[in-house]
Amino acid sequence: RMTARDAYCVCGNRTTLPSECRICHAGSYSNQVGASSCAACPAGTYSNATASTSCIVCPQYTESLAGSTKITDCTCMPGFAGAN
């Protein structure tokens, strides 16, 4: 918990009140200090950790839905096969 004199939350967190921070959950990220919300990881990426500042790109020839939380959410694109 931040004190009243702390101006902003660090990256990977979002603000809920002027003096409080919340961690971004898996599948989301925040790369701006003092962000008021976390963004969902875009399609084709995932984040398996809390307090992420970026999302991980799925392996080549795979895709995922926005907000994916694990590498197994990255599945083969049509026309490609592999161990999913």
Side-chain angles (χ1 to χ4, degrees), residues 36-64:
S36 61
S37 64
C38 299
C41 288
T45 68
Y46 69 96
S47 171
N48 58 1
T50 59
S52 293
T53 57
S54 64
C55 300
I56 302 165
V57 176
C58 287
Q60 188 174 20
Y61 307 119
T62 65
E63 58 190 359
S64 68

